[in-house]
DNA sequence: GTGGTCTAGACCACA
DNA sequence: GTGGTCTAGACCACG
């Protein structure tokens, strides 16, 4: 759970923390039931105010990725294997995806290049070891639409 | 150039305007050199303050998608056919893509489903290709429509 | 009187015209009593609206550098040999000079480099040829007012 | 950090603030790393809206003279000892210098008088050198005062 | 007519 | 507490 922040970035610190944790869950680095450092501990490690960590954890809780209780601290509530997303998640997410992809296309990134980026990002979440027996859910290729 | 906003959304109005325009550029609805409504006009049409439109336009200008001058108003500066993105764009964009995709994966959307979403979003930007036989009026070459 | 503008610059066109004319007067390219192109003519030559030229001429008139009458058009009212500036000019000008020089110093340009810039700019106004025989109406020296 | 404005001047307040700060940096009154009053505080002190201060600070930030973060407010990012200016600064600056000096020359201020003005303005930024015997505390080396 | 400035109030995000 | 967002009115600059 090494979590590198960029102080002085445009992105608020609490969001950077949240983003890194989301990515850690996506990549399997954090699995359902796993525990995260206490807010105080992480704050000390990162050299930031613990309120900032708190805010990140709370955001993740509201997103359904963490559960938090007094005794055991923050635990991962969800991971890729937990099941399909809550209803309503996908629509809202696709809206954001649409805007993000539009941005690349508008700037002149070709459709294939965009898809390649998506595929390679996905591949980076499943570092080969997990693609064990059938590999039927890996970052498959060739279904490009254009 | 119908631009439907969701007042009362979490997303600020100026960002919604910006997002819709980015998507319009990506989809070829707006092409390089095309002109956008004047800030005041659009503001009246949308029933909002002109500053809000102004802010959206200014953001797009800073992103390199619009150029703005006093006489002719806002013109589209870039479209998918204009060329590859400025250096530095892709890296920053992929960082955001990574976070966005991680979000879906963490919520249990499978890699293939994610890729499908990406592909179908991209396809939605070039719907003409799916309909046309020769597809000679797609936003691929500089055949400006104005 | 070739006057090159940069359309699309941050600096308004009318100000660019004004600035170029001020520089032409400073360099002796335009002398007291000399006539400028008519607003319409210059507007056509530059491919701009004649109101814009008008605005530049009017500004110069208010600054005391031009006089304008219907029959003979715009005439240069002042040049370096006309005499010392109107009272009040110098103070206001030095305030602007102070800010401009402070900007360079704050950005790390050393005092000598700043002075060099000033000197070379001044030298560029008096292209050596004018300091010829008597040099009694050129940018004469030694009449420092301070 | 006393900052006297002239309400009712032609020059917008935010620009006056910006100019005074630039001059304070040039004169060594503000040194790299030094902190400025918070936007709200300064606004109260000056009896103006905090947005106006904000605008001045933001302009200075875009000029590279300030850095701004939420925790520590506005800090001086540059001062005469920080090093040479960013490439591109000098050219743009000399263009403005050229116009400003041309103005004086056109109004009849002699070249020597102009140069004198430049020199005395520069001298006013480092007044200590004119007083001190050894001049070992001038704003020449990185002897930050904070 | 256009876009942009200047100032501003209410509110939010951040640490 | 800090800076920043979002929206806004009145006015100016520009062509």
């Amino acid at each position: 759970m090494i979590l590198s922040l960029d102080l002085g970035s445009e992105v608020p610190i609490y969001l950077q923390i949240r983003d890194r944790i989301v990515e850690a869950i996506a990549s399997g680095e954090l699995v359902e039931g796993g525990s995260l450092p206490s807010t105080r501990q992480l704050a000390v490690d990162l050299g930031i105010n613990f309120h900032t960590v708190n805010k990140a954890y709370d955001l993740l809780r509201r997103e359904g990725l963490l559960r938090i209780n007094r005794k055991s601290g923050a635990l991962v509530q969800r991971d890729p294997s937990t099941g399909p997303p809550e209803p309503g998640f996908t629509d809202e997410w696709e809206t954001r995806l649409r805007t993000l992809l539009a941005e690349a296309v508008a700037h002149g990134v070709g459709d294939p290049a965009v898809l390649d980026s998506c595929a390679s990002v996905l591949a980076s979440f499943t570092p080969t070891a997990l693609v064990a027996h059938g590999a039927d859910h890996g970052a498959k290729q060739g279904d490009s639409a254009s």
Side-chain angles (χ1 to χ4, degrees), chain A:
Chain A
M1 194 59 207
I2 309 153
L3 196 150
S4 63
L5 306 183
D6 173 13
L7 282 316
S9 153
E10 296 285 83
V11 184
I13 297 175
Y14 87 100
L15 254 188
Q16 295 186 45
I17 297 174
R18 176 266 188 191
D19 289 349
R20 293 303 88 73
I21 291 177
V22 170
E23 288 161 18
I25 295 175
S27 72
E29 195 181 337
L30 289 172
V31 293
E32 195 274 319
S35 71
L36 278 72
S38 78
T39 48
R40 261 91 172 178
Q41 187 55 53
L42 187 51
V44 168
D45 293 354
L46 298 173
I48 60 178
N49 192 296
F50 96 95
H51 282 113
T52 309
V53 180
N54 233 336
K55 188 161 198 167
Y57 279 17
D58 186 58
L59 176 54
L60 288 160
R61 182 189 58 74
R62 283 183 278 122
E63 293 180 327
L65 294 174
L66 251 53
R67 62 174 178 275
I68 299 175
N69 43 18
R70 283 177 205 75
K71 53 186 173 215
S72 42
L75 301 177
V76 177
Q77 167 95 329
R78 243 204 165 295
D79 71 9
S81 68
T82 312
E86 306 80 53
F89 171 84
T90 309
D91 280 358
E92 190 269 342
W93 178 82
E94 280 203 337
T95 304
R96 287 186 286 145
L97 177 68
R98 179 176 172 80
T99 302
L100 187 62
L101 297 192
E103 214 174 299
V105 172
H107 276 87
V109 184
D111 284 18
V114 170
L115 268 183
D116 276 0
S117 289
C118 295
S120 69
V121 164
L122 287 174
S124 76
F125 292 147
T126 55
T128 68
L130 301 176
V131 217
H133 37 310
D136 54 343
H137 62 293
K140 61 175 178 176
Q141 45 195 358
D143 60 346
S144 146
S146 80

